[in-house]
Amino acid sequence: DKGNHRHFMEKEIHEQPEVISHTLANYLDFAEGGVRAFEMPFDFGKIDRLAVSACGTAYLAGLIGKYWLERYARLPVDIDIASEFRYREMPLSKSSAALFVSQSGETADTLASLRYCRAQGVPIASIVNVRDSTIARESDGIFPTLAGPEIGVASTKAFTCQLAIFAALAARAGLQRGTLSDEEARRMVRALSEAPRYAAQALRLEGHIEKIARELSQVRHVLYLGRDTSYPLAMEGALKLKEISYIHAEGYAAGELKHGPIALIDESMPVIVIAPTDRIFEKTVSNMQEVAARGGRIILITDEAGAARASLDKFETIVMPTMPEFIAPIVYALPVQMLAYHTAVAMGTDVDQPRNLAKSVTVE
Ligand code: F6R
């Protein structure tokens, strides 16, 4: 049931403040400000490597998870697209663990990667939305996302709930590995407890985003840029645009721009930049200036301080609430999803059932 929404995707985007909150509550104790002692098939303090593998949007959640686990828990993370991982014959030592990410729990390549790890004898955990799924059953332990059924083919709420779990795992891993003090972990928990509220605020930008999307629906190509955790999010934005609006979009690390893609920049190709004010904000701004100097049209997703500091004359801004840097990828996912959604609606495509795509990819 879509309720009073036009599409399941729109409904699922709007459910995010609630389902993120619900998911986080499973892993974090907001009253105590700590991380819960949830069951795990391995101890973060006893492994020296984590192999993460998934497909599509779930893979991009894993990529953001890698940034967090490496930064906060100093745990080296290998992340692969499952269709590559299953054939790449990665050596796994006895001191590694594997983590799979899948909304459906049935994705063929992800399942094959899991079975490869099973044969290697490492402990296996999975982040799944469907608890009664093959991947869930074949794992030693699961971290359920409590997103509820996701009907729209384009993943939205499952993605942000996967991110919520990675964030909680980073806090847990940091504590177990002794890289985070109790106070630092508490600060992360506090920041996460605010994520649903910021997500609700981001939803209020929908009217403005819809206007920008109407312009986007007129173009053939879009470039999405970001640095650090905004880089996987740029790829997620491009993936969402491709799959539901059929606009050709690419997500790039902003620093890679000058190594090739800058040659594409002209007046007809909008460049969407995701840049919350964080430690590398200025670097992204200088990449933006390179785009502007070549006549590129910029759509900047940032916060108030970022909008003031960017000070370019020709750009469109989506001004997000100011929030702790740690949780920005969870909250910035919403404008990115809304941009794709409203672009697709403006183009009149079948948003919930895009052509050539299936919700659950059970074949290779
Ligand atoms: C994109 C999308 C797909 C899935 C991918 C993995 O919006 O939905 O890229 O993320 O097919 O599916 P699951 O998570 O079910 O393994």
Side-chain angles (χ1 to χ4, degrees), residues 94-129:
K94 289 284 169 244
S95 50
S96 344
L99 175 62
F100 300 91
V101 192
S102 177
Q103 187 285 128
S104 64
E106 300 296 345
T107 302
D109 286 318
T110 310
L111 179 59
S113 301
L114 183 155
R115 289 175 177 162
Y116 172 83
C117 291
R118 174 65 69 211
Q120 301 284 306
V122 299
I124 293 167
S126 296
I127 298 175
V128 287
N129 197 43

Side-chain angles (χ1 to χ4, degrees), residues 55-58 101-105 107 110 153-155 239-240 243 361:
C55 299
T57 289
V101 192
S102 177
Q103 187 285 128
S104 64
T107 302
T110 310
V153 162
S155 185
L239 178 59
K240 287 280 102 85
E243 66 179 331
V361 184

Side-chain angles (χ1 to χ4, degrees), residues 19 35 46 69 71 85 117 254 256 278 292 317 334:
V19 295
V35 183
K46 299 204 171 100
L69 285 162
R71 176 165 301 148
F85 182 90
C117 291
E256 269 292 288
D278 53 17
T317 336
L334 275 70

Side-chain angles (χ1 to χ4, degrees), residues 239-252:
L239 178 59
K240 287 280 102 85
L241 264 179
K242 275 184 274 217
E243 66 179 331
I244 60 169
S245 74
Y246 317 144
I247 291 175
H248 168 228
E250 284 195 66
Y252 248 95

Side-chain angles (χ1 to χ4, degrees), residues 67-293:
Y67 279 77
W68 282 334
L69 285 162
E70 292 187 344
R71 176 165 301 148
Y72 299 110
R74 313 301 300 155
L75 175 64
V77 174
D78 296 296
I79 166 104
D80 278 270
I81 293 165
S83 56
E84 287 299 315
F85 182 90
R86 64 181 293 189
Y87 295 117
R88 133 174 132 86
E89 298 174 39
M90 181 194 179
L92 288 158
S93 74
K94 289 284 169 244
S95 50
S96 344
L99 175 62
F100 300 91
V101 192
S102 177
Q103 187 285 128
S104 64
E106 300 296 345
T107 302
D109 286 318
T110 310
L111 179 59
S113 301
L114 183 155
R115 289 175 177 162
Y116 172 83
C117 291
R118 174 65 69 211
Q120 301 284 306
V122 299
I124 293 167
S126 296
I127 298 175
V128 287
N129 197 43
V130 181
R131 274 172 188 246
D132 177 27
S133 60
T134 313
I135 289 174
R137 267 195 308 277
E138 294 197 17
S139 300
D140 299 315
I142 60 167
F143 305 122
T145 44
L146 306 181
E150 193 180 62
I151 310 292
V153 162
S155 185
T156 53
K157 61 178 181 170
F159 174 68
T160 46
C161 288
Q162 287 158 357
L163 290 181
I165 292 180
F166 271 111
L169 290 178
R172 167 96 178 242
L175 287 170
Q176 287 188 328
R177 296 171 64 78
T179 55
L180 288 176
S181 66
D182 281 343
E183 184 41 43
E184 284 165 328
R186 262 171 210 289
R187 218 176 299 136
M188 288 165 75
V189 172
R190 211 151 43 226
L192 284 166
S193 74
E194 300 280 296
R197 186 171 62 82
Y198 289 123
Q201 286 179 24
L203 288 175
R204 289 191 217 121
L205 303 173
E206 191 157 17
H208 180 50
I209 290 174
E210 193 175 350
K211 267 189 232 128
I212 298 173
R214 247 176 268 142
E215 285 174 42
L216 274 186
S217 69
Q218 308 295 315
V219 306
R220 289 309 305 144
H221 307 277
V222 170
L223 196 58
Y224 243 110
L225 300 178
R227 275 178 185 263
D228 201 83
T229 50
S230 299
Y231 159 49
L233 200 53
M235 290 198 277
E236 169 62 4
L239 178 59
K240 287 280 102 85
L241 264 179
K242 275 184 274 217
E243 66 179 331
I244 60 169
S245 74
Y246 317 144
I247 291 175
H248 168 228
E250 284 195 66
Y252 248 95
E256 269 292 288
L257 189 67
K258 56 167 74 66
H259 301 286
I262 198 162
L264 294 167
I265 305 290
D266 64 16
E267 298 76 29
S268 67
M269 176 140 101
V271 179
I272 307 175
V273 182
I274 306 171
T277 40
D278 53 17
R279 72 196 93 180
I280 31 92
F281 178 78
E282 300 299 339
K283 306 266 176 205
T284 311
V285 170
S286 82
N287 300 131
M288 242 163 46
Q289 279 156 347
E290 290 157 6
V291 171

Side-chain angles (χ1 to χ4, degrees), residues 16-42:
Q16 287 176 112
E18 195 186 325
V19 295
I20 293 168
S21 160
H22 198 46
T23 298
L24 283 170
N26 216 31
Y27 302 90
L28 305 175
D29 183 343
F30 291 134
E32 291 291 318
V35 183
R36 289 188 194 285
F38 49 86
E39 255 181 68
M40 286 201 48
F42 54 83

